[in-house]
Amino acid sequence: MAKQTLSRRSFIKLGVVAGLAVAAAATIGIPTYEKLFLVQIPPEKIRAIKERIRRGEVEVKYTACVMCAAECALEVWVKDGKVVRIYGNPHLTYNSGGAACAKAVAGLQLQYSPYRIQYPLKRVGERGEGKFIRISWEQAIDEIASKLVELKKKYGPECLLTDTGDVTDRDQYWRLTFAFGSPNAVEHGAICDTPRRHGPKLIVNGKRWEPDILRPVPVRMPDGSIQWYNKHDAKLIIYVGWNPFTATRIVWENIGTVRARAENGCKVYVIDPGFSNTAALADRWFPIRPGTDADLFAAMLRYILEHDNPEDPNRRYIDHDVLVDRYIEGWPEFLEAFKSWWNKIDPATGKNYFTLEWAEARTGIPEQDIEKLAHEFGITKPAALIWGMQSPGHHYNGYVASILGCVLNIITGNFEKPGGVIDTEIVKSSKGGTATGKQFNTRKVKRIVNGVEVEAEQDKLHYCSYGDWPAAWDDVVGDLPRMILEGITLNYGPFKGHKYPIAAYILRTGNTLITAGPVYRFIEAFTAKKPDGTYKLELFVFIDTIFLESALYADYILPEASYLERMSLSDIYPTHPIIFLRDAVVKPMFEAKKPTEIMNMLAKKIYEYELKEFGRSDIDPKEFWEKYKSEEDFVNEMLLVAPGRPNAGRPLPFPNLPEGYVLYGTPESLEAGQVKIDHEKKTVRGEPVTVEYLRRHYGGTMWPMSWYRYKVWDAEKNDWKSGGILTTKTKKFELKFYRYEGFNKLVEGSGVTPPSWKAVGWEKLPLTFYWFETVWNPYTNPEYAKYREEYPFQLISARVHHAMSGTHMCEWLAQTPAEGLWVPLSEPFELRMAETTPGGKMIVSTKKKLLRNMWCIATVQINRVDAEKYGIKTGDLIVLENPLGRKAPAKAYVCETVRPGVIRMGFATGGRFSPGLGGTYIHRLYTPNHSELLDYKLSPIMGQPCFADMIVKIRKVTMDELKMLIPEYYQKEYIIEGVGTT
Amino acid sequence: MSRENEIENFNVDKLTSILFFRTQIYSIIRDIFLFEPSREYLQKLLQHKVLKMISEAYPEECLRVSSAEFLRAVKELLDGGDVMLMETWSEYARLFIGPAPPIVLPYESFHREIGRERRFKGEVWMEVKEWFLDDGFILEDHGVLEDHAGIEFEYMMLTTIKAGELLKEGDRDAILNVLMRQKKFLEEHLKEWIPKLCTEIEEKSKSSFYKSFAKFTRDFLEEDLTLLNELILSLIGGGRNQI
């Protein structure tokens, strides 16, 4: 061996690369550990690729956005397998007028973000520690499937709860869950705004009521042609707790509000504790006290009923052509029940219910303003009363407001009137069909309950419908912590008495830890252990493209293909049937997989394990990988039910086809009469819509708009009848809540009243108008009056749509201030960020030192009058504390744009402890997480977390004081070592 | 002069040795950037003749010391049992993959300062991709991108092997071309970011395995540029410049 004193040249000269001579004499070879990644290709292929690069060929493709729930149609430019531009789809102008908003364009930052989950990961530390190792897909699928089958054997397949979060292309996961044997598949709607949708569901079997301001819309003309109808008809829109300009995602609503005002002189009133961006545009802002929307609606209704006079043009509030038995079921009973409150005295105010003075005392809006509102709403035709997600959707008693809101719109004749109100759920195109797999829930299954074998349908095992929430048709996720800790006991149905745990939780594109209720409760549940030291929740799988807080507690993290890498159908809120294709425009990066692939892989492995374990399997290969060879196969099946809406209304969408029949198929085939008509089922089937068809039509298609779709012409009787889009039991507007009857029967049969019903004094659900108070409101609910002095602020949250999880890591987007909730009041920090050079020619990466107050963070709005009392200025650090002792830090933004006595903050904008959220993570220690201040109180009936029902006290603090006051907030710090600045 | 005579001047055996040496080291570096080390792989490393030789006898102290340190870390890891191995795998994820933002993303796009986009598939990625294409390589879809450190080292490894094959054919110009390309890639790409990447790994990693690996990689890269220069000079000059 050569000595160390040798020079390099001598070293090599002497061939002292010892032992190598032998090897060298053989071959240099390929000594690597694993297979190679780079491969050689023939020169002609190289030439072809280089030529393509030289030409800079761009492929133009079409897809649908996911940066918010508007899911607008996009045009995407792809160059060399990379997305280089995102534009709005000029051919499908429905939701964006062909433009792409800032969120859509920021999708590039998400697609190529360094924070993307790249590979399957397995937890190796404790839950919450953030320690993971990379594993292969084969290992991940194998272990997950094996565990699922093990748990199925132990507890039954119903122990699996699949939560598919907020993105709408979820059907594959539901299908797998149902086929596995669990009926427990839920989605974001369970925690979104169930009270808000309650009235529409009861009354029209719908969901979301929006003003009819989507323009232009394709409409059948008298000459038979279809033309764009571009005229605005709305004359009055009242937005109650609804903020299209910042918080909601229905872009056409923003555009339409402005256009209706400008082109048709439409008045816009905003009723909101905060002076939102929408309020800034409006003709008037009414700063209502939080949690009193129902009170306002009740007073408006009473006023309208008491003052309506069909003979007086200035008092003709009610449309008596609609308020008839032909269209409305249960009105006399509803009226009677509503009026039964009129003579009662409200203990909170000492005034008669639903009078104007009562409403002033409750809402804080002057009596004369309420009167004016009621009168204007009644007299203006058409008008739209729209209520929101944050309110009443997030209030314990939001159902009442929702029901009253529906009634107000219906009896004034505004429902389905041009310029009035549309229920977007019952007019939009259907999708999903058998692909979703709900048919598996009708399988007969057996369980031993109290020693007796019981056989019934699989869906009778549902954790809510037959558990503690029998009427929660949107499922309950807010109660998941308790369910994990205590398990499920079925109280209703054939399996009454059956118990099972929630032992497996698959969470996909959701973040329940932050968005479904008190954070500490979810952490407690996810980390709870059994006496043997294993986790109660035995399997937790997180599937997403981005890394969120919930993933910290998962056992496995699976990288899902981003929205630009997978195919599905977008879910949008139009006023007539429209459908967009979400197309895979580029291949998945790293090892991300599409939902169809994940579904098939898991299904196959579960099948194998079940055969081994049970000798049979609930998974049928013909229903998974043998049927769906590609995601296109899956989406084509989902499209078979499009549009699935009746040929109803005026103008009749397809005069050549039977009125009232449900339509399926492409608009062209329906138009041409290339259809099969089934007079028994009353359906018309044209050529099915397919992926290929949508691609040929720039990624989407639409069917004609119409109005009055609840009316169908009865040719036999030569008169109108109710029906069309109304798929309620009676095919009418149901003010007798028939929907509740089934639940009441279930509960009666069992003799077990759900705890949440008992909480509001019900043994059964009332079948007509009802009233109950919200919680944590010292102004309306006497139970909480004692807190009024010590906790003088009502705490509400508002949505800042460009500062939600999927957008936090898009630096430019996240830097738009909003409404005093998202304001540049940051502490100094460092961040590597992308910015353009002068002239915008290039994007450069720069590590920036941001000085104080240069970066948007979550803040809280406080009225100037209140701030002065506490000596608080903008930028001061304060601590908020609720009566339960929960605290959160925040920086104050002092303004006049929030009602005194209210603290308003963004939802999920602060206190975010996932390192995957860029700058927001860096500022977590002094920004508020609204969910930290929640009570574990869920609204009755639907189990909605009451995000808008809380009161707090505040005071100024220093950073050091804060660390003493909320030690757990800082200790847990959700430490991921080594991560600070990016 | 005949082709055979040309090659005689090269001293084929010596050149082959050097190329083999370089291939082996590039292969190790490539492996460790791309994969978590298995127990079997660590054992191979410990018995690796080239690594051993460098650690005992390489004339340049830096590389000698860092390779020795690296081997010690490998031994320590092997002796540490399964627990330590698992910690190392979790450290690999923490450093390079996630789920939290990786401490040191091993992609050139993220480490070039001026006029570069800190996103996947940026300008630098395209440059590297085209570079590979010019040499006849494309990346098959294996869950990484072209400007991943491991892939760039794989490129160096494969082109060194190519040089070895050309050596057998005796084509001096072709070998020179390959080596010049390597030098250029080293200077314009690898040297522009790998040393910084390695420094970051050394500073931020909790694992002596990765710390020592980073030091070793940085030292080897420095050394390889010198080796390459000498190789090229000797091929150009022949005679008194021959190895």
Side-chain angles (χ1 to χ4, degrees):
Chain A
M1 188 67 73
K3 291 178 195 164
Q4 291 177 4
T5 51
L6 280 173
S7 71
R8 183 188 299 104
R9 185 160 286 183
S10 328
F11 180 81
I12 294 166
K13 239 186 185 161
L14 294 170
V16 293
V17 187
L20 302 185
V22 173
T27 176
I28 292 180
I30 298 175
T32 59
Y33 179 38
E34 295 265 352
K35 60 186 183 324
L36 290 173
F37 284 53
L38 291 169
V39 293
Q40 288 235 247
I41 51 173
E44 59 273 17
K45 267 199 173 164
I46 299 173
R47 275 194 295 276
I49 295 170
K50 288 183 77 168
E51 182 56 23
R52 212 175 57 233
I53 293 172
R54 186 191 68 77
R55 283 204 300 261
E57 278 177 3
V58 165
E59 293 173 87
V60 177
K61 297 188 178 186
Y62 301 97
T63 187
C65 194
V66 292
M67 297 296 274
C68 77
E71 305 198 22
C72 298
L74 298 178
E75 178 182 292
V76 172
W77 289 16
V78 178
K79 193 172 155 187
D80 253 335
K82 182 189 167 183
V83 178
V84 293
R85 290 284 188 274
I86 296 178
Y87 297 110
N89 185 337
H91 307 283
L92 293 176
T93 57
Y94 144 72
N95 204 20
S96 59
C101 77
K103 300 194 296 292
V105 177
L108 278 177
Q109 292 185 303
L110 192 69
Q111 172 68 14
Y112 298 113
S113 170
Y115 302 157
R116 273 191 68 160
I117 302 173
Q118 300 175 27
Y119 306 99
L121 297 160
K122 178 178 176 176
R123 178 179 56 80
V124 291
E126 287 292 302
R127 280 186 185 164
E129 212 182 318
K131 256 191 175 159
F132 292 86
I133 58 170
R134 175 171 60 173
I135 58 174
S136 66
W137 269 102
E138 288 68 33
Q139 182 182 346
I141 296 294
D142 184 76
E143 290 183 8
I144 292 168
S146 164
K147 188 68 180 176
L148 281 172
V149 173
E150 176 197 318
L151 294 174
K152 183 170 181 172
K153 186 177 182 190
K154 251 179 19 186
Y155 309 117
E158 57 269 29
C159 74
L160 166 64
L161 175 66
T162 297
D163 182 348
T164 49
D166 197 14
V167 184
T168 56
D169 47 1
R170 57 177 72 104
D171 303 75
Q172 290 89 337
Y173 299 101
W174 283 39
R175 184 183 184 84
L176 180 64
T177 304
F178 298 147
F180 176 71
S182 175
N184 300 327
V186 304
E187 45 93 358
H188 166 74
I191 53 165
C192 189
D193 58 353
T194 51
R196 170 182 173 236
R197 317 178 199 160
H198 204 74
K201 188 67 173 180
L202 286 180
I203 296 170
V204 303
N205 201 21
K207 207 177 205 177
R208 287 188 185 86
W209 286 27
E210 307 299 343
D212 177 41
I213 50 177
L214 167 60
R215 296 290 187 270
V217 284
V219 169
R220 182 76 59 184
M221 294 287 128
D223 66 1
S225 66
I226 294 180
Q227 304 287 338
W228 288 113
Y229 178 78
N230 203 10
K231 179 174 157 309
H232 273 279
D233 302 287
K235 293 221 173 73
L236 171 66
I237 302 172
I238 304 175
Y239 288 123
V240 181
W242 193 233
N243 184 11
F245 283 70
T246 308
T248 75
R249 307 85 151 228
I250 306 172
V251 173
W252 60 253
E253 207 168 37
N254 304 6
I255 298 169
T257 303
V258 176
R259 284 191 60 199
R261 262 188 107 227
E263 297 171 22
N264 200 39
C266 176
K267 277 205 189 142
V268 177
Y269 295 154
V270 168
I271 301 174
D272 197 309
F275 186 67
S276 61
N277 283 353
T278 310
L281 157 97
D283 293 283
R284 272 203 74 175
W285 169 48
F286 299 87
I288 194 170
R289 176 174 284 126
T292 60
D293 310 304
D295 310 45
L296 175 68
F297 291 176
M300 286 172 68
L301 180 60
R302 180 168 178 168
Y303 182 87
I304 283 172
L305 290 170
E306 285 182 321
H307 294 90
D308 172 68
N309 183 353
E311 309 305 319
D312 179 355
N314 204 36
R315 291 284 184 186
R316 203 178 290 146
Y317 299 143
I318 294 175
D319 185 339
H320 291 276
D321 291 333
V322 172
L323 194 55
V324 290
D325 287 346
R326 189 208 314 241
Y327 298 119
I328 299 187
E329 182 77 16
W331 171 244
E333 294 87 346
F334 187 95
L335 188 60
E336 189 187 333
F338 182 66
K339 281 183 170 174
S340 72
W341 287 81
W342 290 11
N343 291 327
K344 293 185 192 172
I345 304 290
D346 168 29
T349 59
K351 302 183 191 308
N352 286 71
Y353 279 94
F354 312 158
T355 58
L356 293 174
E357 58 168 358
W358 168 87
E360 175 177 333
R362 304 246 314 186
T363 66
I365 299 175
E367 197 179 317
Q368 59 268 31
D369 282 348
I370 300 175
E371 182 177 0
K372 196 161 179 285
L373 258 175
H375 171 74
E376 277 202 57
F377 178 71
I379 206 67
T380 308
K381 313 282 182 203
L385 177 66
I386 307 296
W387 55 96
M389 186 178 303
Q390 254 68 29
S391 187
H394 288 175
H395 285 290
Y396 186 79
N397 73 342
Y399 312 100
V400 184
S402 180
I403 290 167
L404 288 171
C406 290
V407 170
L408 281 164
N409 279 310
I410 291 168
I411 69 168
T412 52
N414 285 306
F415 186 77
E416 278 282 308
K417 191 190 201 96
V421 160
I422 310 274
D423 188 311
T424 57
E425 189 73 8
I426 56 180
V427 299
K428 69 180 193 178
S429 175
S430 293
K431 65 182 179 80
T434 51
T436 311
K438 287 185 180 168
Q439 62 275 17
F440 297 125
N441 283 332
T442 61
R443 290 190 293 211
K444 290 273 197 269
V445 296
K446 292 179 186 170
R447 295 290 178 273
I448 307 289
V449 185
N450 297 323
V452 177
E453 185 177 87
V454 178
E455 185 180 27
E457 290 171 341
Q458 180 173 296
D459 76 337
K460 303 288 190 283
L461 292 166
H462 194 272
Y463 79 117
C464 290
S465 308
Y466 299 91
D468 286 328
W469 301 94
W473 56 76
D474 280 331
D475 306 312
V476 179
V477 169
D479 204 17
L480 190 58
R482 185 191 63 85
M483 291 168 172
I484 290 173
L485 294 173
E486 296 176 9
I488 305 295
T489 300
L490 297 186
N491 296 313
Y492 312 101
F495 294 117
K496 180 183 170 181
H498 177 53
K499 294 180 199 286
Y500 63 87
I502 300 290
Y505 183 48
I506 297 179
L507 176 59
R508 181 255 177 186
T509 63
N511 194 16
T512 41
L513 194 81
I514 294 289
T515 57
V519 175
Y520 69 96
R521 289 300 302 262
F522 278 85
I523 292 178
E524 186 191 353
F526 290 156
T527 56
K529 288 191 175 171
K530 295 188 268 189
D532 66 2
T534 57
Y535 288 112
K536 272 196 162 202
L537 181 65
E538 298 185 39
L539 175 67
F540 184 173
V541 180
F542 181 86
I543 306 175
D544 207 328
T545 312
I546 56 181
F547 175 52
L548 301 173
E549 286 87 349
S550 300
L552 279 167
Y553 295 83
D555 304 316
Y556 297 91
I557 297 176
L558 302 180
E560 194 186 74
S562 77
Y563 73 105
L564 294 167
E565 300 164 350
R566 63 179 192 256
M567 183 192 292
S568 62
L569 298 170
S570 68
D571 193 49
I572 49 185
Y573 315 136
T575 55
H576 61 107
I578 300 177
I579 202 149
F580 293 161
L581 176 69
R582 175 167 296 118
D583 208 347
V585 299
V586 286
K587 285 192 191 155
M589 280 179 64
F590 308 108
E591 291 187 10
K593 291 218 182 283
K594 302 162 188 269
T596 308
E597 290 177 294
I598 296 173
M599 172 189 77
N600 277 341
M601 287 166 76
L602 266 175
K604 198 165 193 192
K605 202 42 88 168
I606 290 172
Y607 171 76
E608 286 168 15
Y609 273 112
E610 287 191 346
L611 285 182
K612 250 191 264 179
E613 189 64 51
F614 308 125
R616 55 164 297 280
S617 175
D618 286 323
I619 303 287
D620 182 354
K622 290 198 224 42
E623 295 288 352
F624 287 92
W625 60 96
E626 288 181 10
K627 184 178 193 184
Y628 306 114
K629 303 258 194 278
S630 70
E631 54 185 357
E632 188 167 335
D633 291 339
F634 195 89
V635 175
N636 277 335
E637 185 170 329
M638 290 177 68
L639 282 166
L640 289 174
V641 293
R645 294 298 169 202
N647 188 27
R650 289 296 179 269
L652 195 61
F654 293 96
N656 57 321
L657 300 173
E659 184 165 352
Y661 281 34
V662 178
L663 307 172
Y664 302 99
T666 65
E668 290 84 356
S669 62
L670 295 174
E671 184 79 3
Q674 289 160 353
V675 298
K676 283 196 178 98
I677 300 178
D678 187 329
H679 292 289
E680 204 179 304
K681 291 184 183 160
K682 294 193 177 356
T683 58
V684 176
R685 285 199 181 275
E687 284 301 311
V689 181
T690 61
V691 167
E692 188 45 44
Y693 168 89
L694 290 173
R695 280 188 180 143
R696 276 188 280 114
H697 290 80
Y698 304 105
T701 193
M702 55 181 75
W703 294 261
M705 170 65 176
S706 189
W707 293 273
Y708 306 107
R709 290 167 286 195
Y710 63 89
K711 289 182 183 184
V712 178
W713 185 256
D714 187 340
E716 277 179 23
K717 294 187 178 156
N718 204 33
D719 200 356
W720 293 106
K721 66 178 179 184
S722 189
I725 55 174
L726 294 180
T727 53
T728 52
K729 177 179 167 180
T730 57
K731 306 273 185 287
K732 298 181 187 178
F733 298 108
E734 289 184 350
L735 298 185
K736 176 174 178 180
F737 306 143
Y738 285 105
R739 189 170 183 85
Y740 284 163
E741 279 187 333
F743 306 125
N744 283 341
K745 203 168 161 196
L746 195 67
V747 167
E748 207 173 8
S750 163
V752 178
T753 308
S756 67
W757 296 11
K758 276 194 199 161
V760 290
W762 294 340
E763 289 296 319
K764 58 182 183 178
L765 298 172
L767 298 185
T768 188
F769 174 78
Y770 55 78
W771 180 269
F772 62 94
E773 302 295 348
T774 195
V775 294
W776 288 114
N777 191 327
Y779 304 94
T780 59
N781 189 334
E783 196 185 321
Y784 299 91
K786 63 186 177 205
Y787 297 107
R788 196 158 151 170
E789 217 177 292
E790 193 186 349
Y791 299 89
F793 294 97
Q794 286 181 279
L795 178 69
I796 59 172
S797 66
R799 208 153 286 229
V800 180
H801 247 282
H802 54 274
M804 301 186 71
S805 292
T807 52
H808 276 290
M809 67 277 290
C810 302
E811 295 140 2
W812 302 334
L813 186 66
Q815 285 322 295
T816 308
E819 296 186 7
L821 305 170
W822 185 248
V823 179
L825 283 175
S826 56
E827 291 298 307
F829 71 111
E830 280 187 0
L831 186 69
R832 182 175 284 279
M833 55 190 288
E835 63 171 11
T836 53
T837 55
K841 285 201 181 343
M842 211 185 325
I843 300 168
V844 296
S845 163
T846 329
K847 194 154 189 178
K848 284 195 170 287
K849 258 194 171 72
L850 286 119
L851 305 176
R852 180 164 277 111
N853 301 338
M854 285 190 82
W855 188 260
C856 281
I857 59 167
T859 52
V860 295
Q861 277 181 299
I862 171 170
N863 187 279
R864 185 174 303 283
V865 166
D866 293 324
E868 275 166 12
K869 268 193 230 154
Y870 289 83
I872 291 170
K873 298 185 312 299
T874 291
D876 282 347
L877 192 58
I878 66 173
V879 66
L880 295 81
E881 183 176 351
N882 71 13
L884 305 170
R886 306 296 307 178
K887 303 182 188 72
K891 284 209 177 177
Y893 180 80
V894 178
C895 57
E896 276 103 20
T897 49
V898 69
R899 185 193 163 84
V902 172
I903 301 277
R904 188 167 176 254
M905 67 167 75
F907 188 86
T909 46
R912 299 298 301 270
F913 53 92
S914 166
L917 296 179
T920 301
Y921 169 77
I922 293 170
H923 301 292
R924 65 197 179 283
L925 296 180
Y926 61 94
T927 54
N929 180 346
H930 176 265
S931 292
E932 296 276 14
L933 291 165
L934 292 178
D935 185 9
Y936 193 79
K937 218 172 202 44
L938 304 166
S939 70
I941 311 177
M942 303 299 283
Q944 167 76 30
C946 301
F947 295 120
D949 289 321
M950 185 39 69
I951 47 178
V952 292
K953 60 184 177 185
I954 63 173
R955 66 181 178 90
K956 255 173 82 163
V957 289
T958 62
M959 199 67 191
D960 288 335
E961 275 179 279
L962 212 49
K963 287 179 180 171
M964 304 257 299
L965 282 168
I966 329 177
E968 70 278 9
Y969 204 80
Y970 298 92
Q971 275 163 19
K972 71 186 173 196
E973 217 181 24
Y974 313 110
I975 294 165
I976 307 295
E977 283 182 327
V979 177
T981 56
T982 54
Chain B
M1 194 193 295
S2 73
R3 201 162 189 84
E4 282 171 0
N5 288 341
E6 283 181 51
I7 289 174
E8 272 172 9
N9 289 332
F10 300 161
N11 196 333
V12 170
D13 282 347
K14 299 285 190 316
L15 273 170
T16 305
S17 298
I18 297 161
L19 291 174
F20 181 78
F21 162 73
R22 295 176 69 231
T23 307
Q24 291 286 303
I25 303 301
Y26 274 124
S27 153
I28 291 169
I29 297 174
R30 171 252 185 208
D31 290 344
I32 294 174
F33 268 119
L34 284 172
F35 306 108
E36 300 86 336
S38 66
R39 181 165 292 286
E40 294 70 29
Y41 186 78
L42 291 167
Q43 276 160 355
K44 276 192 192 156
L45 278 182
L46 209 53
Q47 290 152 18
H48 201 284
K49 287 191 173 119
V50 173
L51 261 183
K52 209 163 178 261
M53 179 277 302
I54 300 174
S55 70
E56 288 169 0
Y58 202 80
E60 294 306 314
E61 187 184 359
C62 269
L63 188 58
R64 189 176 68 247
V65 166
S66 57
S67 58
E69 254 178 55
F70 178 53
L71 278 172
R72 273 198 297 277
V74 170
K75 183 157 193 323
E76 193 185 305
L77 185 49
L78 272 170
D79 292 342
D82 287 344
V83 169
M84 201 164 168
L85 195 59
M86 190 64 72
E87 285 287 330
T88 305
W89 291 354
S90 126
E91 177 67 358
Y92 178 90
R94 191 183 77 91
L95 283 174
F96 302 132
I97 291 172
I103 307 295
V104 272
L105 255 181
Y107 283 91
E108 190 176 341
S109 293
F110 288 86
H111 293 270
R112 299 287 296 273
E113 286 292 337
I114 311 294
R116 300 298 182 210
E117 192 175 330
R118 192 178 167 86
R119 290 286 181 268
F120 290 121
K121 297 200 171 186
E123 286 178 42
V124 167
W125 162 78
M126 192 50 159
E127 273 180 29
V128 172
K129 183 176 162 156
E130 288 192 6
W131 186 282
F132 291 167
L133 201 56
D134 285 341
D135 287 337
F137 292 106
I138 58 166
L139 182 71
E140 281 197 330
D141 190 14
H142 289 303
V144 285
L145 299 174
E146 284 83 348
D147 61 329
H148 188 286
I151 302 300
E152 292 192 358
F153 282 112
E154 182 172 308
Y155 165 78
M156 291 297 284
M157 179 191 79
L158 289 174
T159 47
T160 309
I161 290 168
K162 195 171 180 182
E165 285 162 5
L166 289 168
L167 191 57
K168 273 192 254 168
E169 293 166 22
D171 190 340
R172 186 172 83 166
D173 288 343
I175 302 167
L176 250 180
N177 189 46
V178 171
L179 295 179
M180 295 288 282
R181 289 277 295 167
Q182 282 198 329
K183 180 170 176 307
K184 202 161 186 255
F185 189 76
L186 232 167
E187 285 168 342
E188 292 181 12
H189 285 280
L190 286 169
K191 273 221 75 185
E192 287 294 306
W193 72 291
I194 294 292
K196 277 185 284 187
L197 176 79
C198 290
T199 304
E200 267 198 84
I201 295 172
E202 258 190 292
E203 284 170 3
K204 294 175 181 173
S205 177
K206 293 183 284 189
S207 152
S208 54
F209 176 79
Y210 284 110
K211 280 181 189 297
S212 59
F213 164 71
K215 192 159 186 297
F216 170 69
T217 300
R218 189 178 54 232
D219 290 342
F220 174 75
L221 211 62
E222 188 73 39
E223 180 61 14
D224 195 50
L225 189 55
T226 310
L227 271 178
L228 254 182
N229 280 332
E230 292 203 6
L231 274 174
I232 289 166
L233 274 173
S234 97
L235 279 168
I236 290 171
R240 63 188 171 91
N241 289 328
Q242 79 178 77
I243 299 292

